[in-house]
């Protein structure tokens, strides 16, 4: 269980960080939000890829995860940006 948690955090950090690199512009979110977005994108992306039958093609799973990471980072940036302006 601990290795699953550590793997999710490390994978989330990598996927979230790549999502931030791919997304153009500046994202004013912290490392915790980046990792959380990456964990969500990684988990949901893996699930979607498996449902679509991409589990035999690892690169397609990674592409789905990265697309979702960009969307998650954009959503978190949008939510936190609106919150700080209020």
């Amino acid at each position: 269980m601990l290795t699953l948690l550590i793997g999710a955090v490390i994978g989330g950090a990598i996927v979230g960080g790549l999502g931030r690199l791919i997304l153009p512009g500046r994202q004013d979110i912290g490392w915790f939000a980046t990792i959380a977005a990456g964990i969500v994108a990684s988990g949901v992306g893996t699930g979607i890829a498996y449902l679509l039958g991409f589990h035999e093609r690892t690169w397609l799973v990674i592409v789905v995860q990265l697309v979702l990471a960009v969307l998650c980072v954009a959503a978190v940036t949008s939510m936190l940006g609106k919150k700080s302006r209020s």
Side-chain angles (χ1 to χ4, degrees):
M1 184 68 179
L2 182 61
T3 56
L4 179 66
L5 180 64
I6 292 170
V9 170
I10 292 171
I14 292 169
V15 171
L18 288 173
R20 281 186 73 171
L21 285 174
I22 294 170
L23 187 66
R26 180 174 168 86
Q27 298 84 36
D28 290 327
I29 60 174
W31 60 270
F32 182 76
T34 301
I35 292 173
I39 290 171
V40 169
S42 182
V44 173
T46 301
I48 290 172
Y50 273 78
L51 286 175
L52 295 175
F54 295 159
H55 54 84
E56 295 177 2
R57 297 175 189 93
T58 305
W59 67 273
L60 284 174
V61 175
I62 294 170
V63 167
V64 171
Q65 289 175 344
L66 288 177
V67 168
L68 285 176
V70 169
L71 294 174
C72 284
V73 168
V76 169
T77 302
S78 173
M79 286 188 299
L80 291 179
K82 288 179 183 176
K83 182 186 266 187
S84 65
R85 287 185 217 143
S86 301

